[in-house]
Amino acid sequence: MAYNQHMSEQHWDPTVYLRDAAFVPALGVPVLELLAPRAGEHILDLGCGDGTLTAQLRAAGTEVLGVDSSPEQIAAARARGLKAEVMDAHALPFTEEFDAVFSNAALHWMLEPAAVLAGVRRALKIGGRFVGEMGGAGNVASVVAAYGGELAARALDVRQYNPWFFPTVTEYTRLLESAGFIVDSIDLFARPTALPGDVREWLTLMTQPFLSAVAPAAQAELVDAVRTRIRGQAQQADGRWELDYVRLRFQARKV
Ligand code: BEZ
């Protein structure tokens, strides 16, 4: 696992995110329920995006800080009146400050998980909870395979552009335990996910590091080619699009 030089190609426009990806935090509500936040707890929301779930944590009476690598998303979170900071999750600066760290749909963008987990553990008080959900092994495999085919056809190696870490249960359990966590539960499950519109919008918003493999003028054509490759699997009889999401959901404790 290593940093991918093309990760920096991913940018978030909060308005587009709200239009094309509001389902991401909406589907994170069960993870909030697993966290079971208690009023007065200090919580770190790791990869908070535009703060949709951070706001729900605050509404539950917690003292919550959201952090994210995207300045645009942090500005959107602050515009909701939330405490939020731009931060690299691989270099968290906190020591024994939080009762819990929460993360939804963000950890798979962080390609040095051991560094992330070391920072999460340091940030937690003894007994503190780490509760999260991320893409797991096989997540959007149709999309990854389609980019593999399209980039190979252009004599490019998809591994250089893949921005995602989708671990198995065994892999992530080992990472958590090596970082000093007790794993209370960890589950991998398929969650086919309906998109609000055409998959073109999802590909344009979510797969910028793959698209950076080609010149900006060629990116719309690459999106269309990937769309064509996944169409048979991802487009339903009624024309709607559904992607093969797989989730890895866990709760762990610092001991
Ligand atoms: C996910 O939440 O699993 C995900 C989101 C964007 C791109 C890839 C995966």
Side-chain angles (χ1 to χ4, degrees):
M1 194 83 44
Y3 275 107
N4 177 328
Q5 58 177 319
H6 300 283
M7 279 303 295
S8 58
E9 310 291 344
Q10 181 67 39
H11 298 284
W12 301 105
D13 175 334
T15 308
V16 176
Y17 190 85
L18 203 59
R19 187 190 68 198
D20 295 338
F23 67 89
V24 174
L27 292 172
V29 170
V31 197
L32 276 184
E33 288 166 2
L34 189 62
L35 175 67
R38 295 183 283 268
E41 281 191 318
H42 285 237
I43 296 189
L44 179 67
D45 183 354
L46 183 61
C48 66
D50 67 1
T52 304
L53 293 173
T54 325
Q56 294 186 34
L57 285 165
R58 191 178 60 176
T62 71
E63 290 284 328
V64 59
L65 171 68
V67 297
D68 201 284
S69 62
S70 162
E72 294 81 7
Q73 292 283 59
I74 288 298
R78 285 185 175 164
R80 297 174 187 257
L82 296 165
K83 264 174 62 183
E85 307 266 350
V86 178
M87 207 168 277
D88 177 359
H90 299 86
L92 295 174
F94 311 107
T95 302
E96 302 206 348
E97 287 182 37
F98 295 99
D99 298 294
V101 176
F102 168 82
S103 187
N104 180 58
L107 292 163
H108 49 252
W109 293 100
M110 304 171 194
L111 297 185
E112 299 279 2
V116 174
L117 292 177
V120 169
R121 186 176 187 282
R122 199 178 323 106
L124 284 168
K125 300 172 187 171
I126 299 292
R129 304 157 353 257
F130 180 32
V131 176
E133 183 174 300
M134 64 194 292
N139 195 37
V140 293
S142 59
V143 174
V144 175
Y147 272 114
E150 285 303 318
L151 295 194
R154 293 162 176 77
L156 294 164
D157 180 354
V158 71
R159 288 171 303 181
Q160 285 184 26
Y161 300 93
N162 188 336
W164 302 324
F165 165 55
F166 296 142
T168 63
V169 165
T170 305
E171 211 176 347
Y172 210 63
T173 300
R174 276 201 194 119
L175 281 161
L176 284 164
E177 290 178 347
S178 302
F181 289 95
I182 295 279
V183 179
D184 290 317
S185 70
I186 183 162
D187 298 296
L188 184 77
F189 57 96
R191 193 204 61 201
T193 298
L195 303 184
D198 195 283
V199 77
R200 252 192 217 102
E201 280 106 54
W202 188 95
L203 291 166
T204 304
L205 176 65
M206 300 287 203
T207 69
Q208 294 165 20
F210 287 110
L211 295 173
S212 74
V214 301
Q219 291 182 358
E221 189 191 318
L222 178 54
V223 163
D224 279 350
V226 168
R227 181 182 185 273
T228 300
R229 278 188 187 253
I230 65 176
R231 187 175 199 155
Q233 177 182 338
Q235 192 168 30
Q236 311 298 295
D238 63 4
R240 291 175 205 236
W241 291 83
E242 182 179 278
L243 284 179
D244 47 347
Y245 274 58
V246 176
R247 313 319 286 164
L248 186 70
R249 187 182 290 171
F250 62 87
Q251 52 180 331
R253 252 174 312 129
K254 173 174 175 173
V255 288

